[in-house]
Amino acid sequence: MILVLRALGVGDLATAVPALRGLRAAFPGHTLSVAAPDWLTPLAELIGDVDNVIPTNGLDPVDWAGPAPYWAVNLHGRGPQSHRLLGSADPERLCAFHCPEAGHLDGPQWRQDEHEVRRWCRLLSWYGVRADPDDLDLRRPAPRRVPVGVTVLHPGGKGTARRWSPGRFASLARELARGGHRVVVTGSPDERDLAERIVAGAGLPNTAVLAGRLDLVELAAMVAHARLVVSTDTGIAHLATAYRVPSVVLFGPIRPELWGPPPDRPWHRALRATVTGPPSVAADTDWARVHPALAAIEVDEVLTVAGEVERAGRGCGAAAT
């Protein structure tokens, strides 16, 4: 068995897809198991190269069942905790970044300023496994009960610093709807109030609120068959990349050079303003919690870029059908 640790979220697993595909190609006769939260199992199935998910809650201790893995691969972090967790499975070889604190003197050095996708491909390359950082596609689920051809706005994300102003999201939704887009607003169950506020501010019907109403496969299916995705720096942005759906991703505290979509795909664009002074004042009660690089992004700029990525997607055949 090849055991891979990636016990994080949607975007984290999506950025590990090229590395997982590289391992699948390098070890075709071995079971490829991913230690990850159980709720990510449907996403692992959409990758198509993972045999099973071992339910893992972050870096909590795991009672590894069955024989010791041939390789244990740390696609979770730099160590030492993640190295030690995999070491507890007693693998024949641990594939991980150099970490003397964990007693692991093998592997390449960690680089702080490196894109997440390329980081794991470089790790595998050090161990003789080839991985293509552009191999990001996922299987496209059938739409079934989800709407197709919609424009998806996803205003939520981990921590309020990653969230664009709700008032500006409402203005964006209103302008997109005026331009002929069928707008829906997604999010987690905890973000339903945020979605309702944006939909109400945009003057859209309540049916546009899909936050908390979709499971992971349904969300993936809707993105796969969407017209456009506009989101914060969070998991749904990586789904748009995986399905080559035109997207605009709004970045704040994290630079897109580290987590953004591939820069050579013109139908995906990352926006992050360069801030040299205080952001302009906005009539929004949440404004004080918005990161300055997000606060400086104007609605008109997002609308312009949204049109550009849509045109680029049609020209490259990238838009969903």
Side-chain angles (χ1 to χ4, degrees), residues 21-300:
R21 295 236 169 93
L23 288 167
R24 173 80 290 159
F27 299 102
H30 288 262
T31 298
L32 181 59
S33 299
V34 175
D38 186 56
W39 63 272
L40 284 176
T41 298
L43 182 59
E45 293 171 351
L46 293 176
I47 296 171
D49 292 284
V50 174
D51 293 306
N52 58 71
V53 171
I54 298 174
T56 308
N57 184 19
L59 296 178
D60 290 349
V62 178
D63 184 15
W64 307 109
Y70 176 53
W71 270 25
V73 184
N74 189 352
L75 301 184
H76 186 93
R78 64 191 300 176
Q81 297 95 327
S82 50
H83 286 41
R84 292 169 181 157
L85 179 61
L86 283 172
S88 69
D90 196 25
E92 291 190 30
R93 188 174 193 185
L94 174 62
C95 171
F97 280 102
H98 183 82
C99 184
E101 189 178 352
H104 185 71
L105 304 181
D106 198 11
Q109 296 290 330
W110 179 274
R111 297 175 188 166
Q112 193 67 31
D113 217 25
E114 183 172 28
H115 194 282
E116 190 71 4
V117 172
R118 295 187 178 276
R119 167 175 288 129
W120 307 117
C121 292
R122 179 172 66 86
L123 171 66
L124 293 186
S125 177
W126 200 94
Y127 287 94
V129 174
R130 297 181 60 184
D132 178 3
D134 292 325
D135 191 4
L136 295 162
D137 294 357
L138 296 174
R139 289 178 176 173
R140 186 185 297 265
R144 296 180 182 173
R145 292 178 294 179
V146 301
V148 299
V150 295
T151 289
V152 181
L153 303 190
H154 192 93
K158 294 179 182 177
T160 55
R162 292 193 184 192
R163 299 180 180 182
W164 198 38
S165 156
R168 292 197 174 185
F169 255 120
S171 296
L172 176 67
R174 182 169 55 252
E175 294 305 316
L176 287 170
R178 285 175 178 170
H181 291 251
R182 185 154 63 105
V183 177
V184 298
V185 183
T186 57
S188 68
D190 291 341
E191 294 163 348
R192 184 169 178 81
D193 287 347
L194 173 63
E196 289 176 343
R197 175 181 170 186
I198 290 169
V199 164
L204 299 177
N206 290 337
T207 53
V209 178
L210 296 184
R213 292 181 174 175
L214 305 174
D215 62 28
L216 186 51
V217 172
E218 289 171 334
L219 179 64
M222 190 173 66
V223 171
H225 298 274
R227 172 178 175 176
L228 172 71
V229 174
V230 181
S231 76
T232 58
D233 167 28
T234 193
I236 196 170
H238 298 280
L239 293 179
T241 296
Y243 293 119
R244 300 175 181 260
V245 171
S247 64
V248 183
V249 190
L250 309 177
F251 280 81
I254 307 245
R255 293 187 290 114
E257 292 83 2
L258 304 180
W259 280 88
D264 59 346
R265 298 185 184 183
W267 56 90
H268 302 306
R269 289 276 294 279
L271 292 181
R272 184 178 190 266
T274 300
V275 180
T276 56
S280 57
V281 176
D284 195 301
T285 57
D286 291 333
W287 192 253
R289 297 195 293 271
V290 176
H291 190 274
L294 277 167
I297 299 173
E298 302 287 349
V299 173
D300 286 347

